[in-house]
Amino acid sequence: MQISFIGAGAWGTALAIAASRQPAGHPVTLHARDAAQAEAMQQQRRNARYLPGVELPANLAITSGPSAAWVQQAQAQDLIVIATPMAGLR
């Protein structure tokens, strides 16, 4: 099962970490709105802004880009979790 989390705040990051640590080994992707944040998370393997001190598992993929890109990628996903603030859904 391929799982994607939209929203790399504290809630989305925590859920993505939990899903990527499951023994079933599902591919998990975390999508950040801010490309600079996504790059920093890739390099540091941490979400210093929203979940400091928690290491991101090596098998957790981090992406960023316009919503049109992840909507297109969503077709290949089995589960999509939207973990954004309600105001962010506009």
Side-chain angles (χ1 to χ4, degrees), residues 61-81:
I62 302 164
T63 65
S64 181
S67 59
W70 61 257
V71 167
Q72 188 174 31
Q73 293 171 352
Q75 296 173 14
Q77 302 302 304
D78 297 304
L79 176 64
I80 300 170
V81 178

Side-chain angles (χ1 to χ4, degrees), residues 15-41:
L15 289 172
I17 289 170
S20 65
R21 288 183 177 164
Q22 294 302 307
H26 301 299
V28 179
T29 302
L30 177 61
H31 182 82
R33 174 179 45 96
D34 182 346
Q37 178 193 8
E39 173 127 3
M41 290 170 64

Side-chain angles (χ1 to χ4, degrees), residues 5 7-17 30 47 50-51 81-84:
F5 291 86
W11 185 236
T13 302
L15 289 172
I17 289 170
L30 177 61
N47 187 342
Y50 293 107
L51 210 59
V81 178
I82 299 174
T84 62

